[in-house]
Amino acid sequence: MEHYKDLEEKAGHFLQSRTINTPEELDAAVVELEKLKSNKKLHSMFRGVHEAKYKLYSSFQRMWFDRNLGETGTDPYLLVQNMINACLDPQHVLSKYLKQLGVVCNDWLILSFLQHYGGASPLLDFSKNFLVALYFLCKNMKLQYSDQFISHYASIYYYKGVDAAQSFRPLHRKAENVVAANLAVDKFDVWKNELSFSNVMQRPPASEPLIISVYNDASEIRTPNGEPATYFTAANINVTSQEGEFICNMDMEQPLEDVFQKDGKKYLCCLNIHKGLREYIIQKHLEGSLERNDSLYFPSEEQIAKEALERTLKNINLAKTE
């Protein structure tokens, strides 16, 4: 897969691109990111990557390239749908589990699961919290000498959702349009048909990126008169902890930064941060430890249960001492 050769080449693919080399520049950038995060109307989203040279390809695109699937005549849309269908099988444990929870088991929920638990999906994660992006920027960073200047940098990417939504209508907006056009929709069937992956992600040249808001709980899709028609979630434990949402890109050639633009307008911004600032970032902005953030952003079921027990026992001990 192609990488950027230098920062100058990379800059042309983004709405804004800046280079951060000093602690002072980093702190000033953090203040700006905090302002973006705090302004709820902007709905800014952030993503951290430990190598600035990497283009924003999804795990599905990387698999596509690594396995040379384009040379086999494989249909990428059918391949994604087959992965989804495997999990939607009524006998599959994930399908059974979601049914028992009473969740509408939609294609996007399955893709969210595949994305976060080792599968391949056309989704790319972004977070409402720029500190999550800083964590991922630092997590797998390799501090080693290279004669390529760009290899000395990692990157934060961000966009203002309120702007991007005007050109790339989010999935829940598409759902509202479907409901408005057919008030008699079935709350389950609408996600199997009109709002399925295959129907929403049209094949080229009509295909374009899709913003998929996750919601930490089920979100109702209402009719024009305010009546609840269906509900939607693409949440799992990891993406909930990471305050995430997704962008789906089914272009098998171009990275997200080259398709997440329309009519000459770009939406993604980029901060290239020198890797020498890694420890400074960890100490000042990530509570001095990546390990603490590991458990925060990747909680396991066992960890959640253990913490509930420990909290309960601690409260008992506190009550005894009062």
Side-chain angles (χ1 to χ4, degrees):
M1 296 182 66
E2 293 184 355
H3 294 158
Y4 290 114
K5 297 178 181 178
D6 54 55
L7 295 177
E8 291 73 23
E9 175 206 2
K10 180 180 180 181
H13 295 259
F14 294 88
L15 174 62
Q16 296 177 1
S17 181
R18 286 189 292 153
T19 304
I20 306 297
N21 289 302
T22 68
E24 293 77 17
E25 291 173 342
L26 188 281
D27 288 341
V30 166
V31 170
E32 293 178 22
L33 296 178
E34 176 61 43
K35 288 180 180 178
L36 288 174
K37 172 180 176 290
S38 300
N39 189 334
K40 302 301 182 183
K41 293 182 179 179
L42 294 178
H43 191 73
S44 297
M45 303 300 299
F46 310 89
R47 176 178 174 83
V49 178
H50 62 276
E51 288 286 350
K53 65 183 179 182
Y54 289 164
K55 297 185 177 183
L56 292 176
Y57 289 111
S58 69
S59 57
F60 184 81
Q61 286 174 303
R62 293 195 298 271
M63 180 188 73
W64 184 264
F65 287 122
D66 291 344
R67 296 174 180 265
N68 297 314
L69 293 178
E71 299 177 7
T72 66
T74 301
D75 181 340
Y77 289 80
L78 182 59
L79 184 57
V80 172
Q81 190 62 62
N82 284 342
M83 290 192 296
I84 294 171
N85 291 344
C87 296
L88 288 175
D89 186 316
Q91 300 307 311
H92 194 286
V93 64
L94 183 59
S95 180
K96 290 180 178 180
Y97 176 62
L98 295 174
K99 183 177 180 180
Q100 288 182 345
L101 291 179
V103 174
V104 174
C105 189
N106 62 81
D107 291 0
W108 311 100
L109 178 56
I110 297 299
L111 287 177
S112 167
F113 180 87
L114 296 176
Q115 172 73 1
H116 276 266
Y117 295 96
S121 90
L123 307 183
L124 274 171
D125 298 80
F126 284 81
S127 174
K128 299 174 185 176
N129 188 347
F130 73 91
L131 293 176
V132 176
L134 280 178
Y135 162 78
F136 280 104
L137 176 135
C138 293
K139 181 172 174 57
N140 294 313
M141 186 186 294
K142 296 181 180 179
L143 302 174
Q144 58 187 21
Y145 174 78
S146 171
D147 57 0
Q148 285 190 316
F149 186 68
I150 193 172
S151 294
H152 299 165
Y153 291 83
S155 295
I156 294 286
Y157 302 96
Y158 61 96
Y159 68 93
K160 297 175 182 177
V162 67
D163 293 335
Q166 300 300 315
S167 295
F168 305 99
R169 293 188 67 78
L171 180 59
H172 67 279
R173 297 294 181 214
K174 292 181 182 292
E176 290 170 356
N177 290 342
V178 169
V179 169
N182 180 12
L183 300 183
V185 296
D186 181 275
K187 69 177 181 178
F188 292 100
D189 285 346
V190 68
W191 292 102
K192 296 177 183 177
N193 299 308
E194 292 95 331
L195 298 173
S196 67
F197 165 80
S198 294
N199 281 342
V200 173
M201 296 304 295
Q202 299 177 28
R203 295 172 181 272
S207 182
E208 63 178 32
L210 176 68
I211 300 171
I212 306 167
S213 299
V214 169
Y215 304 113
N216 290 340
D217 53 12
S219 178
E220 288 183 329
I221 306 295
R222 294 180 174 271
T223 64
N225 62 3
E227 294 294 323
T230 183
Y231 58 92
F232 167 72
T233 182
N236 58 58
I237 292 177
N238 284 352
V239 76
T240 300
S241 301
Q242 295 165 19
E243 300 179 65
E245 75 176 34
F246 304 109
I247 299 179
C248 183
N249 176 21
M250 276 302 294
D251 190 304
M252 289 298 101
E253 299 294 334
Q254 300 184 85
L256 181 63
E257 58 266 36
D258 290 341
V259 296
F260 201 50
Q261 51 183 279
K262 184 172 285 189
D263 299 326
K265 183 177 180 180
K266 301 179 178 70
Y267 293 93
L268 276 173
C269 299
C270 175
L271 290 176
N272 298 305
I273 301 174
H274 198 283
K275 292 180 179 179
L277 295 170
R278 180 178 185 270
E279 289 306 314
Y280 180 80
I281 294 171
I282 294 172
Q283 293 302 318
K284 184 164 184 179
H285 299 290
L286 297 176
E287 301 182 355
S289 169
L290 286 183
E291 286 70 24
R292 290 179 192 162
N293 291 272
D294 288 341
S295 59
L296 178 63
Y297 298 135
F298 293 98
S300 66
E301 291 87 344
E302 292 81 4
Q303 174 193 331
I304 293 171
K306 182 179 179 181
E307 287 179 351
L309 174 61
E310 291 175 347
R311 190 180 302 116
T312 301
L313 294 176
K314 181 179 180 180
N315 289 338
I316 292 174
N317 292 330
L318 287 174
K320 286 183 180 179
T321 59
E322 290 179 355

